[in-house]
């Protein structure tokens, strides 16, 4: 339990140590992740799940502020439409299949969080389309691992209604990889 809660502060410290120009928005995003980790120590309790999800949501807002204040996005509107449509189709498919398994009280929050993950991913694809750079790619992979981690978590908690150790290991590995890749990508931002 202590290790799980200590990972994001360690990632935040590493980010501060290695970033060319550290941003408090990235640090805040990582620390909101830590807060979310603490709340999700009890994921089967709806109140803690909602608080944890809200913490991660706020962390992603911090990442979006960093992205839109540090990355240049100059792409044709058609790219924005195409990329957004692909993610929107994914949300429709995933949410329609999982909606019945999600407790009614958590459905709006779950949908908003799913949309936030897509906005984060799209917000990292668009700078890549503007000008390829390895740090942007690494950050995009981080956002992609967030989608994977939270997809497994949703399946585990709402479909299987359990917390099997093996899946929890997969959730934590992909989550830690997601946050670490985001921090590395953001740290390399020129």
């Amino acid at each position: 339990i202590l290790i799980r809660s200590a990972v994001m502060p360690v990632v935040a410290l590493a980010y501060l140590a290695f970033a060319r120009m550290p941003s408090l928005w990235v640090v805040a995003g990582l620390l909101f992740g830590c807060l979310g980790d603490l709340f999700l120590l009890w994921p089967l309790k709806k109140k803690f799940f909602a608080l944890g999800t809200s913490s991660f949501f706020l962390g992603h807002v911090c990442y979006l502020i960093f992205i839109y204040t540090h990355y240049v996005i100059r792409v044709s509107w058609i790219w924005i439409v195409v990329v957004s449509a692909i993610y929107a189709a994914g949300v429709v498919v995933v949410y329609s299949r999982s909606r019945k398994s999600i407790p009614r009280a958590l459905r709006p929050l779950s949908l908003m969080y799913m949309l936030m993950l897509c906005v984060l991913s799209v917000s990292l694809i668009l700078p890549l389309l503007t000008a390829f750079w390895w740090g942007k790619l690494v950050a995009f992979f981080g956002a992609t691992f967030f989608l994977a981690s939270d997809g497994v978590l949703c399946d585990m908690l709402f479909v299987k209604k359990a917390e099997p150790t093996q899946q929890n290991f997969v959730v934590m590995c992909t989550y830690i990889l997601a946050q670490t890749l985001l921090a590395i990508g953001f740290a390399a931002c020129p």
Side-chain angles (χ1 to χ4, degrees), residues 117-134:
L117 289 174
C118 292
V119 168
L120 181 64
S121 289
V122 169
S123 297
L124 287 163
I125 288 175
L126 297 177
L128 273 171
L129 294 173
T130 299
F132 180 84
W133 185 61
W134 73 270

Side-chain angles (χ1 to χ4, degrees), residues 65-93:
I65 292 170
F66 174 82
I67 291 164
Y68 285 101
T69 57
H70 287 78
Y71 289 170
V72 173
I73 299 174
R74 288 192 190 115
V75 295
S76 167
W77 64 270
I78 192 72
W79 281 111
I80 296 170
V81 170
V82 168
V83 171
S84 297
I86 292 168
Y87 275 90
V91 168
V92 168
V93 169

Side-chain angles (χ1 to χ4, degrees), residues 8 11 26 29-34 36-37 40 52-53 55-61 63 87 113-114 116-121 124 138-154 170-183 186:
M8 285 314 106
V11 173
V26 174
L30 291 166
L31 295 180
F32 273 119
C34 178
D37 291 340
L40 288 183
T53 302
S55 297
F56 286 116
F57 188 95
L58 291 172
H60 295 322
V61 168
Y63 293 152
Y87 275 90
Y113 185 69
M114 188 183 300
M116 172 57 83
L117 289 174
C118 292
V119 168
L120 181 64
S121 289
L124 287 163
V138 170
F140 170 72
F141 283 142
T144 303
F145 275 104
F146 248 118
L147 285 167
S149 173
D150 290 338
V152 172
L153 180 65
C154 181
V170 171
V171 169
M172 286 309 298
C173 284
T174 52
Y175 163 69
I176 291 168
L177 190 55
Q179 290 279 42
T180 302
L181 290 174
L182 282 169
F186 294 155

